[in-house]
Amino acid sequence: TVFAVATAAGMFGTMLVMPLLFKKFNYKQIVIGTSVLGCIASLVIWFIGYDNFWACVPFLVISCIPCGAINICVYAMIGDSLDYMEWKTGVRLTGMGSAIQSFVAKFGNAVATSFIVLMYIIVNLDIASINAEITANPLEMSQSVRTGMFSLVSIIPGLSLLVCVIPILFYNITGKKKEQITAE
């Protein structure tokens, strides 16, 4: 419950302030800035450790800021890409953009779910053996399982956010170029 509330606070809080961020920054800057912030917060969670759970909670909220920002920016960036395509080709394929975005989201969810299952295998977590006692007292799990599970909410999201920045570095529909496309 604490993780769910902290995650929601980070994501939805960010979504609420996005209109203010759009006045000062472009989509690329927002995605890169929040991803770096989230990465740092995730790594701080890892170094604090799961034995200090309550000290991790504020950093968990911060680490979820990129989720809110990316969820908003991605749709705006798709719109910019469709504008760019129309500007270059004279054809606007809005339906294609929507379909591709839907496919990418579903593919990403499939990869993420597969990775979580793979992580369970790597840390040797037997899902069938988890019961109310273990859920109430994670100390019943082995050290390697606890470390592996903790990495799923700390170091792995942090590293994933750094990887997320790489393709955004190539996004160039900003500034004067975006103004020119919009004007034309």
Side-chain angles (χ1 to χ4, degrees):
T1 302
V2 173
F3 267 66
V5 170
T7 300
M11 285 178 60
F12 295 124
T14 302
M15 288 177 175
L16 292 174
V17 300
M18 287 303 288
L20 299 173
L21 292 176
F22 287 148
K23 290 179 182 177
K24 294 190 178 231
F25 306 101
N26 63 44
Y27 309 133
K28 181 177 182 175
Q29 293 168 325
I30 292 170
V31 171
I32 291 173
T34 59
S35 293
V36 170
L37 177 67
C39 173
I40 292 168
S42 293
L43 295 178
V44 168
I45 292 170
W46 174 257
F47 288 110
I48 290 173
Y50 56 83
D51 292 328
N52 301 306
F53 173 78
W54 292 106
C56 293
V57 172
F59 295 100
L60 180 62
V61 172
I62 295 168
S63 73
C64 292
I65 287 173
C67 295
I70 292 169
N71 282 336
I72 299 290
C73 287
V74 70
Y75 290 101
M77 293 169 87
I78 289 169
D80 287 349
S81 297
L82 291 169
D83 290 345
Y84 176 80
M85 182 179 70
E86 182 179 14
W87 178 67
K88 282 299 239 186
T89 67
V91 178
R92 185 169 186 91
L93 298 174
T94 305
M96 173 85 66
S98 177
I100 289 172
Q101 202 293 328
S102 178
F103 170 75
V104 168
K106 289 175 182 171
F107 182 74
N109 287 337
V111 169
T113 301
S114 300
F115 183 77
I116 291 169
V117 171
L118 178 63
M119 191 66 174
Y120 288 167
I121 293 168
I122 290 170
V123 299
N124 200 25
L125 176 65
D126 180 15
I127 303 290
S129 70
I130 296 178
N131 57 34
E133 272 182 39
I134 291 175
T135 304
N137 185 8
L139 297 177
E140 298 289 325
M141 293 181 187
S142 72
Q143 177 75 22
S144 65
V145 170
R146 282 185 288 148
T147 300
M149 297 303 291
F150 186 70
S151 70
L152 285 173
V153 295
S154 59
I155 198 161
I156 291 173
L159 297 175
S160 297
L161 285 167
L162 283 182
V163 171
C164 172
V165 168
I166 295 169
I168 297 300
L169 293 173
F170 297 98
Y171 181 81
N172 65 356
I173 307 173
T174 59
K176 295 217 182 275
K177 182 175 184 176
K178 182 177 176 178
E179 290 172 15
Q180 177 188 2
I181 292 168
T182 304
E184 290 181 19

